Amino acid sequence: MSAERGTAANGQVSFWYAGSGVPLPANQLDGDAAADVCIVGAGYTGLWTAYYLARADPSLRIVICEAEFAGYGASGRNGGWLTNSITGGREGYVRSHGREAVVRFQDAMNRTVQEVMDVAAAEGIDADIVKGGELNVATNAAQLQRLTAYAEQEAQWPNADTQFLDAAETAGRIAIAGVKGGIWHPHCARIQPAKLVRGLADAVRRLGVTIHEGTPAVEIGPGAVRTTRGTVRARYVIRATEGFTAGLAGQRRSWLPLNSSMIVTEPLAAGQWEAIGWDGAETLADLAHAYIYAQRTADGRIAIGGRGDPYKFGSRTDVDGHTPEKTVRALGDMLTRLFPAVEGIGIDHAWSGVLGVPRDWHATVGLADDGVGWAGGYVGTGVATTNLAGRTLADLILGRTTELTTLPWVGRRVRKWEVEPLRWLAVKSLYATYNAADKAENRGRTTTHPVAHAADFISGKA
Ligand SMILES: Cc1cc2nc3c(=O)[nH]c(=O)nc-3n(C[C@H](O)[C@H](O)[C@H](O)COP(=O)(O)OP(=O)(O)OC[C@H]3O[C@@H](n4cnc5c(N)ncnc54)[C@H](O)[C@@H]3O)c2cc1C
């Protein structure tokens, strides 16, 4: 569809900068420097870490080295779901740490959503935040079967606060074509990602943190960050590079950079919104294996994302979010399949970004004895989790044992990804399998395609 119409903008980091303009890197490092804490990467992880450290101990000298500009990565490109998901799910942690630890983890994630909203309000960051909850929907029989099983599992976790909705109740919230049911929970807010990350960078600077943009790190190690513009020596060094981590010396196989792509429509007409509803600002996803995620933006558009071309050979990343036309077309087709009322609408912008995927698909945060810390591997659920990571890293650096530092994701180490071409083949086959399973299910298969289960297991997701 959009191929014929064309896409007004492609890449340029993301649509979320269309209003403000893409920032130019400022305050490059100029020679060697010293600090107490040096953080690499000015996305949400790096900025939240700096924010809580600076608040807790204003005397700390905190420096952030950022290759491009604050918010250049996924933090300035994401789907704007500020949600309470535990990356990788709860079951792995139940096996490793027991149920009580997971209840605490879920409580912490629930509170994190509110914490981000509270800090945004306190710091005067207007990021179009509306807490309308999260709605996951089934659009075919196999998805409904998964949704029902998911609802039964969620019911075992009272602090997940999920509600099962039948087809009519789901359509009453958002009129999705052929919707068969949904699950909603309240612990999610719709945000404008770039406004949050740029506002947070300003807040951090106000607290006395130095952000050196245009300063790529080449090597991160105990006591020092070597950049192309000088070396920063620091007692603590924090790696907050998430989906870009594979580009650092010695890190090629730690977190796999998985691509996610998005499009945004032109603003919908009033009649189209009347047909669709979506008055509650819920974030929206389906239960496909290669799922889509969406939000109604503050200015009345639909932003919708999905996996696109999932992985580039050798862990390469996109150039400023440029997105293949084939992906734009696929997302456009998905949009009109879900919302026939927008057939023919213009696509104003398409972009992509990378998220970091550990071998077991579970996020981690930690600080080693040599003073090198890290957080990431959030897969597609980092918008809220980065805040929990930032608060946890601050506690670890300050030597505090707290509720946060005892959560089950702290200090986890996972094995590395396979060497190429195995890594490339594995991800290509995983998503080819998912796409084939989704097609079969859309054609009428009533149960989950067995190859999708097998792919989950082989990839380390299950
Ligand atoms: C398209 C897309 C949609 C998403 N949607 C959602 C969503 O709706 N909800 C959700 O919870 N999560 C979502 N995510 C994931 C979420 O955005 C990320 O988990 C989160 O933003 C990670 O923040 P971060 O600070 O760790 O990483 P990033 O924001 O990627 O920041 C890393 C920073 O490090 C910098 N950097 C990289 N290499 C170097 C170097 N060598 N030296 C110095 N700096 C360097 C980069 O320029 C970047 O600014 C999405 C991700 C993408 C790509």
Side-chain angles (χ1 to χ4, degrees):
M1 48 163 292
S2 52
E4 292 78 40
R5 278 200 307 276
T7 305
N10 189 323
Q12 298 160 33
V13 187
S14 81
F15 164 73
W16 308 121
Y17 288 106
S20 61
V22 175
L24 287 174
N27 192 29
Q28 278 99 333
L29 179 66
D30 188 13
D32 295 347
D36 297 306
V37 183
C38 180
I39 297 167
V40 180
Y44 300 138
T45 298
L47 293 168
W48 282 125
T49 305
Y51 180 82
Y52 289 105
L53 271 176
R55 291 282 305 268
D57 183 352
S59 73
L60 281 176
R61 293 167 306 157
I62 305 168
V63 166
I64 304 181
C65 295
E66 161 58 48
E68 302 286 342
F69 58 83
Y72 173 79
S75 302
R77 308 187 195 192
N78 62 72
W81 288 43
L82 175 69
T83 188
N84 71 342
S85 296
I86 293 178
T87 308
R90 305 187 192 96
E91 289 315 310
Y93 291 117
V94 173
R95 286 195 292 275
S96 59
H97 290 76
R99 191 181 160 84
E100 185 273 337
V102 182
V103 170
R104 285 196 297 119
F105 197 0
Q106 188 63 69
D107 280 340
M109 283 304 304
N110 293 352
R111 282 196 300 271
T112 297
V113 173
Q114 194 55 49
E115 168 72 11
V116 173
M117 295 176 65
D118 291 347
V119 175
E123 297 291 347
I125 302 170
D126 178 4
D128 300 338
I129 305 180
V130 181
K131 195 174 182 187
E134 173 182 328
L135 181 64
N136 289 284
V137 301
T139 59
N140 62 40
Q143 287 185 25
L144 182 61
Q145 191 202 42
R146 286 198 289 282
L147 185 85
T148 311
Y150 176 42
E152 281 164 12
Q153 279 167 18
E154 289 296 288
Q156 310 299 313
W157 297 90
N159 61 349
D161 297 315
T162 46
Q163 291 174 23
F164 183 81
L165 308 176
D166 65 21
E169 288 166 330
T170 311
R173 283 175 176 268
I174 308 179
I176 298 152
V179 76
K180 306 238 173 304
I183 284 186
W184 179 87
H185 73 76
H187 304 289
C188 182
R190 183 282 314 273
I191 66 158
Q192 205 280 27
K195 288 187 181 176
L196 178 62
V197 72
R198 295 299 292 178
L200 190 54
D202 289 343
V204 158
R205 286 191 191 96
R206 284 197 298 273
L207 290 170
V209 172
T210 303
I211 306 179
H212 292 301
E213 297 181 319
T215 303
V218 183
E219 195 170 3
I220 298 179
V225 171
R226 190 163 61 84
T227 80
T228 56
R229 306 187 55 89
T231 296
V232 182
R233 304 214 167 269
R235 165 77 185 88
Y236 296 101
V237 166
I238 304 299
R239 197 184 77 217
T241 47
E242 237 273 315
F244 301 91
T245 301
L248 289 165
Q251 300 292 339
R252 183 151 298 270
R253 288 166 55 205
S254 6
W255 294 336
L256 180 143
L258 197 67
N259 173 79
S260 204
S261 300
M262 298 197 69
I263 56 170
V264 70
T265 65
E266 62 190 357
L268 273 62
Q272 289 171 315
W273 279 126
E274 259 165 49
I276 293 171
W278 208 342
D279 300 321
E282 301 92 338
T283 59
L284 171 70
D286 69 2
L287 262 80
H289 302 288
Y291 59 86
I292 56 92
Y293 52 91
Q295 68 152 276
R296 175 178 178 165
T297 67
D299 60 351
R301 306 161 186 266
I302 297 176
I304 183 168
R307 200 52 79 218
D309 183 16
Y311 175 70
K312 292 184 195 299
F313 189 88
S315 293
R316 283 179 296 116
T317 53
D318 59 78
V319 178
D320 293 344
H322 190 269
T323 303
E325 197 53 43
K326 189 173 149 224
T327 302
V328 179
R329 255 198 320 275
L331 288 170
D333 290 348
M334 186 61 76
L335 173 79
T336 38
R337 197 163 68 75
L338 296 173
F339 303 110
V342 303
E343 177 76 53
I345 197 163
I347 304 299
D348 273 357
H349 206 129
W351 70 99
S352 298
V354 281
L355 30 101
V357 182
R359 189 64 184 83
D360 67 352
W361 300 71
H362 286 62
T364 64
V365 56
L367 179 69
D369 292 342
D370 61 8
V372 177
W374 70 91
Y378 311 109
V379 190
T381 51
V383 173
T385 319
T386 47
N387 174 277
L388 187 66
R391 284 185 285 142
T392 306
L393 278 168
D395 284 348
L396 291 171
I397 290 167
L398 297 168
R400 298 169 170 169
T401 303
T402 62
E403 169 67 17
L404 301 189
T405 63
T406 58
L407 290 176
W409 71 316
V410 179
R412 283 183 53 260
R413 304 260 189 185
V414 290
R415 71 184 168 97
K416 289 181 185 296
W417 282 93
E418 287 74 3
V419 291
E420 296 291 22
L422 291 179
R423 198 157 73 234
W424 181 80
L425 281 170
V427 185
K428 281 278 175 198
S429 331
L430 175 69
Y431 280 94
T433 306
Y434 281 167
N435 288 332
D438 284 333
K439 270 192 192 137
E441 292 175 11
N442 281 337
R443 278 198 305 266
R445 193 190 158 87
T446 53
T447 55
T448 295
H449 201 295
V451 293
H453 286 311
D456 281 346
F457 184 72
I458 293 163
S459 66
K461 284 177 90 175

